[in-house]
Amino acid sequence: MPGFADEDELRRYVGSIFEAAMADPETGPKLADTGLVLRMDCTEPDSKLTIDLPGKVVYSGDEGPEPGATMVMSTETANAYWQGKVNLPFAMARGKVKVQGEMSKLLSLAPLSKKLFPIYVENLKADGRDDLVVA
């Protein structure tokens, strides 16, 4: 299963679904109401993304506010996760995803995240990135 080539791809695909969701008049306020600043700290290759849900801004690298919760995983796992192919509790139990920080806020994000999965897959396909689509 493939992952991203670099931090720019993480930003392009994962960051863009959050930007679209935060701009959505229905989903955006719900995301902001979580009060969560989420960091995705990925490996293979090393890359970071910080999603400031209340501020409605996505940052790359070490930029952005201090996260309330951090998800650590490979870019391969991140790619599969945003397609709805990773069960978070199971992945945490197996050590594929490590979570640090405010678990309750992160879990409150889970139902909203599910709405992002089809958009993520559509974006991959629109860019001709069928190599990243998990069957």
Side-chain angles (χ1 to χ4, degrees), residues 46-134:
D46 289 345
S47 47
K48 293 180 185 173
L49 197 64
T50 301
I51 302 111
D52 178 357
L53 295 172
K56 299 184 177 189
V57 180
V58 176
Y59 300 91
S60 297
D62 291 320
E63 295 180 21
E66 191 65 29
T70 300
M71 297 175 72
V72 181
M73 66 188 89
S74 69
T75 60
E76 179 181 332
T77 300
N79 177 49
Y81 177 80
W82 291 108
Q83 294 180 57
K85 304 292 185 182
V86 174
N87 177 296
L88 186 57
F90 185 69
M92 289 170 60
R94 298 190 76 210
K96 291 190 93 171
V97 176
K98 294 178 180 84
V99 177
Q100 304 159 345
E102 301 178 65
M103 181 66 81
S104 61
K105 284 188 178 184
L106 185 61
L107 292 175
S108 72
L109 184 62
L112 298 170
S113 296
K114 290 179 182 179
K115 294 180 179 183
L116 304 180
F117 298 159
I119 298 165
Y120 178 83
V121 174
E122 287 171 20
N123 289 349
L124 291 175
K125 289 181 177 181
D127 277 1
R129 293 304 306 268
D130 292 334
D131 61 309
L132 292 175
V133 176
V134 179

